[in-house]
Amino acid sequence: MAKYFNGIISEPMISYNPDGSIDFGTTSKIFSNLAMRGASGLFVNGFGDETYSLSLEERLEVVKCAQEAVKGTDCMVVAVVLANCLHDAMWLVEEYRKLDVKALSISLPPFYTLTQEAAHQYLSAQLAATDIPTILFNCREMNELVAPEMLGRLAHEYPNLRGYKDATRDIIHLNKCIDELDDLKEDFSIISGSDATLFTHMAMGASASVSFMSVPFLDQMKDIYDYFVAGEYEKAWQAQRIVLKLRTFMQQFPDSAAYIYAMKYTACIDVKGTRHPDHMLYIPEDELKKFDQMVKDFGITKRY
């Protein structure tokens, strides 16, 4: 059994109309642009999509939009189950199954801490309800993480658990996870969940990355991945350094503001807004000029 998850799986943002409704026309352009430029997958309804502000029904519409946008490409739609309770999570798993998605991502809920047995019940119920290849996502934003022992237990109980997305940035934790999965390593995917650590994750055996950075800067993320796979480790590390410098600059600004602005560099797509207050997209003019110069200095241009 080969590893199911490989390459750069982009985590796209959604475009919104002035009234706050989803701008499906522009959103479809974002999805198709990534698929045509070589993203191996789209991580749909993750934090980049502002899924926490979408209704359950809207999430299904976004997945349908993504499925239509990737037709004719090798890009896989990974439908994300980020839910506040088991009832909603199970509803999404079933509705995603009806849409014939090719992969799922599940994680623990936010807001409250589950006991270890409850955490196992929460995740195992979703895994038992489908045979769709599934990623378990340790989501830092939710501040509730699955322990390495729990990950190993679930991976051995449910063959459809085929990947672990690690966004902890904790190398010791990741080592422990790898130890728990050692006998499954031939077909189980370790997936980098932080753009800052793709090189390190690949050095530890990761086969894929879920990347928000790759939405505007897919080619730069692919450079890290492709150089590493080719055994050109110095070039891969230099590519990671470029991503780190861009990322450090971009994360000075609120939420997705710099990522949305950066779409003009490589995709030429005018992403329209958010469901947050408008000021969450504000970047001072002098900082935009610095951003423009940085991108120019790195020789980043539109390739598609």
Side-chain angles (χ1 to χ4, degrees):
M1 188 183 294
K3 292 187 178 181
Y4 194 74
F5 302 102
N6 297 279
I8 304 297
I9 302 169
S10 290
E11 184 174 0
M13 74 277 286
I14 286 175
S15 183
Y16 292 94
N17 294 310
D19 65 359
S21 61
I22 298 171
D23 170 16
F24 281 104
T26 304
T27 298
S28 178
K29 289 179 182 178
I30 297 168
F31 292 162
S32 60
N33 178 273
L34 290 165
M36 293 296 293
R37 287 167 56 207
S40 64
L42 300 182
F43 197 72
V44 178
N45 290 331
F47 272 88
D49 286 337
E50 297 185 12
T51 188
Y52 43 78
S53 70
L54 300 178
S55 70
L56 299 182
E57 291 77 12
E58 284 177 317
R59 299 185 205 187
L60 300 185
E61 294 306 311
V62 172
V63 167
K64 291 176 188 176
C65 178
Q67 289 177 312
E68 186 65 28
V70 304
K71 282 184 178 178
T73 74
D74 294 327
C75 187
M76 169 197 309
V77 174
V78 181
V80 181
V81 182
L82 284 180
N84 297 332
C85 63
L86 182 57
H87 176 273
D88 288 354
M90 295 300 289
W91 187 87
L92 281 169
V93 168
E94 174 59 16
E95 294 302 313
Y96 286 155
R97 183 195 64 78
K98 292 176 184 177
L99 294 179
D100 193 30
V101 299
K102 302 308 178 188
L104 296 174
S105 174
I106 64 175
S107 58
L108 292 175
F111 305 129
Y112 52 89
T113 301
L114 297 180
T115 66
Q116 283 301 294
E117 189 54 38
H120 181 266
Q121 291 173 1
Y122 185 90
L123 297 168
S124 62
Q126 295 172 67
L127 289 164
T130 181
D131 60 359
I132 298 171
T134 300
I135 297 167
L136 179 58
F137 173 19
N138 258 347
C139 182
R140 295 177 69 251
E141 290 85 355
M142 288 188 177
N143 198 33
E144 186 171 358
L145 304 180
V146 176
E149 295 78 12
M150 178 73 73
L151 172 63
R153 176 182 174 186
L154 290 166
H156 285 89
E157 290 174 335
Y158 298 98
N160 58 313
L161 180 55
R162 300 283 296 277
Y164 166 55
K165 179 188 172 188
D166 175 44
T168 65
R169 306 179 202 166
D170 182 342
I171 297 303
I172 296 174
H173 163 86
L174 181 57
N175 266 295
K176 291 180 178 178
C177 289
I178 292 170
D179 284 346
E180 294 290 335
L181 300 164
D182 195 52
D183 62 319
L184 302 174
K185 62 186 177 184
E186 295 304 317
D187 54 69
F188 193 95
S189 301
I190 299 296
I191 302 165
S192 175
S194 171
D195 297 311
T197 59
L198 176 54
F199 180 92
T200 304
H201 271 94
M202 293 192 73
M204 297 177 70
S207 64
S209 169
V210 170
S211 167
F212 190 38
M213 190 77 175
S214 69
V215 185
F217 295 117
L218 176 61
D219 297 313
Q220 285 64 47
M221 291 300 297
K222 284 181 87 281
D223 282 346
I224 303 170
Y225 187 90
D226 292 343
Y227 280 134
F228 195 100
V229 169
E232 298 187 63
Y233 304 123
E234 180 59 29
K235 288 183 178 179
W237 173 239
Q238 294 307 321
Q240 177 74 85
R241 292 182 67 196
I242 290 173
V243 166
L244 285 170
K245 289 173 183 176
L246 287 165
R247 184 178 182 274
T248 299
F249 183 85
M250 294 166 72
Q251 291 201 333
Q252 298 176 81
F253 310 109
D255 198 55
S256 305
Y259 296 81
I260 289 173
Y261 179 77
M263 292 295 283
K264 75 168 193 170
Y265 298 127
T266 56
C268 297
I269 297 174
D270 181 19
V271 182
K272 294 176 286 186
T274 174
R275 284 183 172 173
H276 296 309
D278 289 345
H279 199 269
M280 291 297 284
L281 293 178
Y282 175 69
I283 303 174
E285 190 64 32
D286 61 333
E287 296 296 334
L288 293 178
K289 291 178 180 177
K290 291 179 185 177
F291 200 0
D292 292 343
Q293 188 61 50
M294 178 182 291
V295 170
K296 182 179 179 181
D297 291 345
F298 285 139
I300 295 171
T301 58
K302 181 176 179 285
R303 297 188 199 173
Y304 167 75

